[in-house]
Amino acid sequence: MSYDVAIIGAGVTGAMIARELSRYNIKTALIERCSDMAMGTTKANSAIVHAGFDAVPGTLKAKLNVEGTSIMPELCSVLHVPFKPIGSYVVAFSKDEIEHLEKLKARGEENGVPGLRILNSDELHKEEPNLNEKAVAALFAPTAGIVCPYELTIATVENAVTNGVEFIRNFNVIAIDKNADGNFVLKSEDKTIEAEYVINAAGSFCDQVASLIGDDSITIIPRKGEYMLMDRAVGNKVSHVIFQCPSKMGKGILVTPTVDGNLLIGPSAIDIEEKDDCATTADGLDGVFKTALKSVPSLTTREIITSFAGIRAHSPTDDFIIESSSKDDKFINVAGIESPGLSSAPAIGVYVCNMVIEAMGGAEKNVDFVPGRPAPVRFREMNTEERKALIEKNNAYGRIICRCETITEGEIIDAIHAPAGAIDVDGVKRRTRAGMGRCQGGFCGSKVVEILARELGQELDEITKCGGESKILFGRTK
Amino acid sequence: MIKYDLAVIGGGPAGMAAALRARECGVEKIIVLERAETLGGILEQCIHTGFGLHYFKTELSGPEYAARFIELVEDSDIEVKIDTMVLSISDDNVVTAVNKTDGLLEIDATAVILAMGCRERPRGALNIAGTRCAGVLSAGTAQKYVNIDGYMPGKEVVILGSGDIGLIMARRMTLEGAKVKMVCELMPYSSGLTRNIVQCLDDFDIPLKLSTTVIDIHGKERLEGVTIAKVDDNRRPIPGTEEFVPCDTLMLSVGLIPENELSKNMGIEFDPVTNGPVVDELRETSHPGVFACGNVLHVHDLVDFVTKESQIAGEGAAKYILGGKTDKKYVKTKGINGVRYIVPQKIDLANEGDVELYFRVGDVHKNAKIIVTYNGQEIISRKRPRLAPGEMENVVIKNDMLKNFDENGIIEIQVED
C-alpha cells in the first residue's frame, strides 16, 4: 500500500498527529509495532496535564505545553474522554523550597501559564487536610488536570480512523528504503508499505528509527518510572495533583487522584539500558512509597492494588525535537517527547500537521471530518432509567462480566468492534476497565477471553494478553 | 417492583442451604439471585473429592455436593434467577439486579441473605516486583480454565501460596501433564489442610518450600521465570538466598477475601479481621433483616461448615420474616492470645438454643488448650493435640451458660500452650 504520510508509533503523539492530518484529504497510515495503540511511553506515566511552569521559557516544551493544556478540555469533551481540571500544588517543605516556588511561578508566568498563585500554610492545609503538616507553602496551578493517557490515545486513534486514517498494528519497522519514485519504503519482518512523508513518533525508539535512514543525530535515554496504584477507598486522600519540589531527574514523586477515582503515586527515575524494560523493582517501589509518605504520611501499603513501570523517552537536549531530518526533509522527527509530552500532545499534533501541510504546499480539507467520537456506553455511570432503556435496546448490556467495575458484555463487544478495536485481553481492559478492579481480572479474565474468541472468530487458545507471545492458554487438557 | 419474603444473593452452597432451610421453616416467597450461568458456585469447578465428609458422611466431588442441593432447590418452589448480577441493596432491603432477560429487576424483600462467597487475592495486592507478562494467574482462575473450559493455562508451573486451592491445583496440573516445580509458602507453615498437603504434594513429589516467596517476575510477553528467596522471621527476603526458577506459569494461592462490596455499600458493620460483616448467632448483620453466611461472612475451610452456617442464617431469616423484628440484648465474643477471630461476634441473650462459636488461630500450636472465659472467668477448657491457622475450630456455648450472662458481657477465647 502507498500512503501520503506514514506515522511510526501510535502513542499519544502519533495519534494526535494522525487526527490532525485527518482534517485534510491526506492518505495517512498510523503504524504501531505492538498489538494496540498506547503501548509504550504513553501507557504508563503520571497521567497529568501540566500547567506549564516547569519548562525553560523559549523552548518547544514551554510553548507546546501551555498550548496543549489549553486545547485539552475541549478535545477531551468532543472525544468523550474524562478530563478533570483539578489543579496542581507544588509543595514546599522549607524556606529554600519557597524560594524555588517563586522561581517556578515567575517561569510559569513567562511561559504564559494563567492563574498561578502561592498558597500559605493555612490555605494549603485547609484545601488538603491529609497533607504532611510540615508543608509550609505550595504553588497552585489551576489549569493543571488529570486525564487517562491511554484512554485519550485510544479515543484519538478511533476518531482518526473514522476520519480515514489507517491503523496498522504489529508492524515493527526494521528497514526504511527509497523507491524509484522517491517514496519511502517501510519494511517489517513480513510486510511493506510506501509513503511520501514519514513521521518518526516512535517514543523511546526514535533514535533507532531515525538511524534507519542514516540519521544518527538523535539520542534517547530510556528512563524508567515506577508507580503504585491505590484502592478507590483512598482515592480522595488528596484532591489536587501534589508535587514535591522537582529535581534534575524529573518532577519527583507525586500523589494524585486518577480520573477513575483511584490514587496514583510515583514515579521513580532510573536510566536503563533496554528501551522496553517495564519491570518494577523492589527498591524502586520501596523508594516511591517512602517518598510519597513525605507528602501524605497516612498512606499504607495495604491499599496498593497494583504497581507498574513506564518509560520516559529522555533526550539529552532537554527539549522536544520536532524537525525535518538533516538526512531527508520528508522525514520528520518528533522525538524526546517526555514530560510534559502528554500535556503537549494536542499541540504537537497541530504543529507537526502544519509542518506537513506546508511541506506539501497545502492540502485539501476533508469536508467529512468529524471532530468527535460517539460517547462509549458506561453502564456503571448510568442511572436506573438509563440502564433500563439501554438493556431494552440491547440485552448484552444486561450481562455483567466484570463484577468489580460493573462492566457489561455489551461494553466489551463495543470495545472489540470499535474502529481500531480491542483484539486482546489488555485491549479490552484499557477500553472498558474490565479487569481493573479489586480482583484484577480473577473472575472476568476467562470470560473476556471467551467473548474475544467468539467475536473475533478465534479459538480460546489463540487469544493473547497483549499480542505477540503473551498467550494465555496452551491448548486443550488431556 | 416485585415483593418477596426473602432474597438470597448468591446460589452457591451457602445461598442454596440458606434458602432451603428458610423454606422448610415456612417462608413462602423466596428468590435466589446467582451471577453465574448455573447454581453451585465455586463447587462446580472443584472436581476433586473431599466434600461432604461431615455433612453427608460420605466423600463427594464439588459438583456432586452441589448437585444434592440443586436438586432440592429445583424440586421446591424457590425461584431462581441465574446470570443475574445484584447491583445494590437499599436501606429498606430493595435489591436491584440486572440480567439479559428481565433487564433491571427491583425486588422488595422483607429479609435478605448475603451469600456472595469470596474472591482470590490478586498479584497486585502482594506487590511483587517484575514485569506484567502473561502467565501469572490465581489458582482459582487456573482451575476454571482446566476443569470447566478444558484448556491448559501453562506447562511449567510455580505455585506461590499453599492455600487449599493452590495445593489442589498442584495435583490437578500434574495429572494433566504439566510440571509443577514447587509450591512456595511465605509462612513457616502451610495454610492448607494437612490432608491436601499429603495427597496433593507429597504423593506427587512436589516440594513445599516454607518461608520462601517470589520476589521477581521475569518475561516480556509470556512468563519466563521467577526469582524466589528465603524470608526471615519478619517475612523479609534474605539477601543471598535468591534463586531463579524457569517456568511459564506462576499460580497464586495467597488468600481469599470475602466479596462484600454490596454489604459495604449498605453501611453494615464490619469485622476488620474476617473482612466480613459482624453478625449475631442467627447470622443477622447490623442491618435489620439482612443476614450473611458462607465465605462472604468469613472464609471457611470446609463446605460442610458453610452448609451448617447457612442453615442457621436461613432459620434466622425465617424467624425475622415470620416473627418480626425483636429487641436483642447481646453478649459479645472476642478472640485473644492466639485466636484471630470468632464468628458470631455477638449472641442474643434471649436465644433459646446452644450456640456454636467458630474461630481460627493465628499460628500452629501442638498439645495446646483452648480456654473460653466469660468476663475473665474460665467457663470451658478443651485440650487439642494440634491447632493450625488453616483449620477452623469450634466450641459450644450451652444455653444454660448463656442464661447466666449479662448484656455487654464478653466471651473470650484464647489458646494456652
Side-chain angles (χ1 to χ4, degrees):
Chain A
M1 275 299 274
S2 186
Y3 298 89
D4 298 321
V5 182
I7 304 164
I8 301 174
V12 69
T13 310
M16 291 292 173
I17 297 168
R19 178 173 177 272
E20 286 306 318
L21 288 172
S22 74
R23 293 176 188 272
Y24 298 89
N25 287 331
I26 292 172
K27 209 171 160 200
T28 304
L30 178 61
I31 301 167
E32 172 53 48
R33 86 188 168 100
C34 296
S35 65
D36 210 355
M37 64 289 262
M39 291 292 279
T41 53
T42 300
K43 184 169 70 172
N45 53 61
S46 303
I48 306 295
V49 177
H50 295 282
F53 50 76
D54 286 291
V56 178
T59 59
L60 268 179
K61 273 188 181 175
K63 170 185 155 61
L64 295 171
N65 182 351
V66 177
E67 282 177 21
T69 298
S70 72
I71 302 172
M72 197 66 86
E74 170 63 16
L75 177 66
C76 287
S77 157
V78 297
L79 291 176
H80 293 283
V81 172
F83 166 74
K84 291 186 185 167
I86 59 174
S88 69
Y89 288 162
V90 181
V91 176
F93 289 94
S94 66
K95 268 195 178 158
D96 285 356
E97 289 191 345
I98 295 180
E99 273 172 37
H100 193 85
L101 298 187
E102 298 283 359
K103 273 187 213 157
L104 284 179
K105 181 166 176 275
R107 196 196 280 174
E109 280 160 356
E110 197 178 339
N111 288 345
V113 180
L116 291 174
R117 195 158 71 81
I118 290 180
L119 305 186
N120 64 30
S121 175
D122 287 350
E123 290 172 295
L124 175 60
H125 290 289
K126 201 174 149 216
E127 284 289 322
E128 293 289 0
N130 293 315
L131 207 63
N132 189 340
E133 55 188 27
K134 289 179 188 142
V136 289
L139 173 63
F140 172 49
T143 52
I146 50 176
V147 70
C148 172
Y150 52 78
E151 209 172 341
L152 176 63
T153 307
I154 290 165
T156 306
V157 174
E158 280 186 13
N159 180 244
V161 168
T162 305
N163 287 315
V165 170
E166 199 169 325
F167 177 51
I168 305 172
R169 316 167 196 252
N170 296 315
F171 193 111
N172 185 23
V173 179
I174 52 171
I176 302 176
D177 300 328
K178 278 241 166 164
N179 66 11
D181 304 331
N183 285 341
F184 291 102
V185 181
L186 279 59
K187 291 178 181 164
S188 73
E189 273 92 6
D190 52 355
K191 281 171 280 182
T192 302
I193 67 162
E194 290 177 25
E196 190 185 351
Y197 290 85
V198 168
I199 294 164
N200 173 13
S204 53
F205 294 91
C206 272
D207 49 355
Q208 290 178 13
V209 168
S211 73
L212 295 176
I213 64 156
D215 177 352
D216 294 322
S217 67
I218 293 172
T219 304
I220 300 293
I221 301 164
R223 184 173 283 177
K224 191 194 295 195
E226 292 153 284
Y227 293 87
M228 287 159 144
L229 189 71
M230 312 193 76
D231 197 280
R232 282 216 178 97
V234 290
N236 55 4
K237 277 268 178 192
V238 295
S239 45
H240 301 79
V241 181
I242 306 294
F243 296 105
Q244 296 172 6
C245 277
S247 75
K248 249 192 182 154
M249 289 293 275
K251 296 185 185 73
I253 304 286
L254 58 85
V255 178
T256 178
T258 70
V259 284
D260 297 305
N262 299 84
L263 194 74
L264 182 71
I265 63 173
S268 60
I270 311 152
D271 289 344
I272 50 170
E273 300 290 321
E274 268 182 83
K275 287 176 182 289
D276 52 356
D277 169 14
C278 284
T280 53
T281 62
D283 288 348
L285 293 176
D286 198 41
V288 165
F289 190 77
K290 282 188 180 140
T291 317
L293 285 179
K294 188 182 168 192
S295 297
V296 183
S298 58
L299 296 174
T300 71
T301 51
R302 274 198 307 277
E303 278 103 23
I304 298 165
I305 299 181
T306 191
S307 46
F308 56 87
I311 308 294
R312 308 171 182 84
H314 175 65
S315 154
T317 63
D318 269 333
D319 198 7
F320 299 153
I321 301 163
I322 306 178
E323 59 198 13
S324 290
S325 167
S326 57
K327 295 286 173 188
D328 193 319
D329 52 11
K330 288 186 171 181
F331 187 99
I332 300 171
N333 286 313
V334 184
I337 312 297
E338 61 175 331
S339 182
L342 172 62
S343 322
S344 308
I348 296 174
V350 176
Y351 187 89
V352 175
C353 177
N354 289 340
M355 284 174 74
V356 173
I357 303 298
E358 199 177 307
M360 286 177 167
E364 234 176 83
K365 284 267 183 189
N366 173 6
V367 290
D368 298 324
F369 178 80
V370 185
R373 67 160 186 168
V377 169
R378 294 281 178 257
F379 185 85
R380 60 174 296 145
E381 289 163 13
M382 291 180 162
N383 65 31
T384 305
E385 291 315 309
E386 290 169 330
R387 286 172 172 177
K388 275 186 185 155
L390 180 71
I391 301 166
E392 228 161 81
K393 223 167 57 189
N394 178 354
N395 71 2
Y397 296 111
R399 188 165 181 241
I400 307 286
I401 299 297
C402 169
R403 302 170 185 181
C404 305
E405 297 290 304
T406 322
I407 310 298
T408 64
E409 182 164 15
E411 291 164 83
I412 294 172
I413 295 172
D414 290 347
I416 296 168
H417 297 302
I423 60 169
D424 48 39
V425 173
D426 282 358
V428 168
K429 177 166 135 180
R430 280 191 297 274
R431 285 167 179 81
T432 64
R433 293 192 59 76
M436 282 203 187
R438 296 181 170 98
C439 91
Q440 298 276 301
F443 284 116
C444 67
S446 67
K447 285 188 183 170
V448 171
V449 171
E450 273 170 42
I451 296 168
L452 274 164
R454 185 188 73 210
E455 296 296 319
L456 299 172
Q458 295 178 348
E459 293 298 319
L460 287 187
D461 56 359
E462 289 178 272
I463 302 300
T464 64
K465 179 176 184 281
C466 49
E469 292 303 308
S470 68
K471 61 182 178 178
I472 291 165
L473 300 170
F474 286 61
R476 308 289 309 202
T477 49
K478 276 183 186 170
Chain B
M1 189 101 67
I2 327 159
K3 178 80 198 153
Y4 282 87
D5 294 327
L6 174 62
V8 180
I9 322 293
M16 290 193 291
L20 284 164
R21 180 53 63 89
R23 186 72 194 89
E24 281 167 28
C25 293
V27 177
E28 286 182 351
K29 221 165 172 285
I30 302 176
I31 187 165
V32 175
L33 303 165
E34 167 56 46
R35 59 193 160 201
E37 293 89 338
T38 57
L39 287 174
I42 208 71
L43 287 176
E44 294 297 305
Q45 68 183 52
C46 301
I47 63 168
H48 53 284
T49 58
F51 301 91
L53 284 165
H54 294 256
Y55 190 75
F56 290 115
K57 309 289 177 217
T58 182
E59 194 169 33
L60 302 171
S61 70
E64 284 171 332
Y65 189 98
R68 294 198 175 196
F69 289 91
I70 295 173
E71 223 167 89
L72 292 173
V73 171
E74 283 173 351
D75 289 345
S76 75
D77 57 3
I78 295 169
E79 215 178 309
V80 175
K81 297 253 181 224
I82 53 157
D83 225 344
T84 301
M85 178 81 183
V86 174
L87 299 171
S88 65
I89 306 168
S90 77
D91 246 5
D92 45 359
N93 297 350
V94 173
V95 178
T96 305
V98 63
N99 68 26
K100 283 176 92 158
T101 42
D102 304 287
L104 223 55
L105 280 163
E106 281 175 299
I107 295 163
D108 179 4
T110 308
V112 175
I113 294 181
L114 306 171
M116 291 91 76
C118 59
R119 61 163 180 263
E120 298 175 280
R121 269 179 84 203
R123 171 192 173 178
L126 307 179
N127 213 21
I128 308 172
T131 59
R132 304 212 295 167
C133 50
V136 181
L137 77 175
S138 70
T141 306
Q143 191 176 43
K144 178 182 181 272
Y145 280 130
V146 175
N147 293 346
I148 304 284
D149 300 330
Y151 280 89
M152 288 294 279
K155 297 279 185 203
E156 285 203 315
V157 185
V158 168
I159 298 177
L160 175 61
S162 60
D164 287 310
I165 315 170
L167 301 175
I168 294 290
M169 282 312 291
R171 175 175 66 185
R172 189 78 189 99
M173 293 298 286
T174 307
L175 292 173
E176 285 296 341
K179 170 76 190 156
V180 177
K181 296 197 154 177
M182 61 182 71
V183 175
C184 299
E185 170 59 58
L186 179 71
M187 304 301 287
Y189 53 83
S190 166
S191 60
L193 295 169
T194 310
R195 72 172 194 219
N196 282 336
I197 293 170
V198 175
Q199 294 169 9
C200 299
L201 300 188
D202 298 355
D203 289 358
F204 294 88
D205 290 328
I206 298 167
L208 172 61
K209 290 182 179 280
L210 297 173
S211 299
T212 302
T213 194
V214 171
I215 58 163
D216 208 346
I217 291 172
H218 311 269
K220 280 244 155 77
E221 295 176 335
R222 178 80 195 191
L223 183 68
E224 288 157 24
V226 296
T227 303
I228 62 166
K230 285 268 175 206
V231 296
D232 62 19
D233 292 345
N234 298 317
R235 296 180 229 163
R236 285 180 198 282
I238 303 169
T241 63
E242 299 88 355
E243 184 191 337
F244 178 78
V245 184
C247 58
D248 58 38
T249 306
L250 174 64
M251 242 179 236
L252 303 174
S253 177
V254 289
L256 300 168
I257 307 165
E259 272 227 300
N260 270 304
E261 275 60 40
L262 278 175
S263 354
K264 280 190 181 151
N265 289 338
M266 293 179 76
I268 283 177
E269 189 191 346
F270 268 74
D271 182 330
V273 182
T274 59
N275 278 313
V278 168
V279 292
D280 66 16
E281 80 288 355
L282 298 176
R283 304 304 186 264
E284 188 173 12
T285 67
S286 62
H287 189 112
V290 175
F291 296 76
C293 56
N295 283 346
V296 82
L297 182 55
H298 60 127
V299 175
H300 292 62
D301 51 350
L302 298 177
V303 70
D304 306 64
F305 297 139
V306 168
T307 301
K308 265 180 88 178
E309 175 176 271
S310 306
Q311 290 171 337
I312 296 171
E315 276 168 39
K319 249 185 203 170
Y320 178 88
I321 294 161
L322 303 171
K325 199 176 142 187
T326 52
D327 260 348
K328 296 183 175 184
K329 288 191 167 62
Y330 290 118
V331 58
K332 288 191 171 162
T333 70
K334 194 181 174 201
I336 54 169
N337 297 341
V339 173
R340 287 185 56 233
Y341 72 81
I342 303 174
V343 170
Q345 289 86 348
K346 53 190 182 182
I347 304 172
D348 177 13
L349 291 169
N351 171 64
E352 283 156 8
D354 299 343
V355 176
E356 246 176 304
L357 298 180
Y358 291 88
F359 61 94
R360 279 185 197 260
V361 296
D363 211 337
V364 177
H365 300 267
K366 280 185 179 152
N367 297 321
K369 261 202 281 188
I370 290 167
I371 312 274
V372 185
T373 58
Y374 172 71
N375 287 349
Q377 296 289 314
E378 181 174 316
I379 51 171
I380 301 170
S381 166
R382 297 261 183 283
K383 277 191 184 154
R384 296 284 156 104
R386 186 176 180 275
L387 293 165
E391 301 187 16
M392 217 158 73
E393 298 290 331
N394 67 326
V395 291
V396 178
I397 306 291
K398 291 281 185 197
N399 193 249
D400 51 3
M401 271 184 206
L402 266 177
K403 288 208 171 95
N404 299 321
F405 295 167
D406 301 313
E407 190 175 5
N408 297 327
I410 185 155
I411 301 171
E412 289 172 318
I413 306 182
Q414 56 188 301
V415 185
E416 200 182 272
D417 284 306

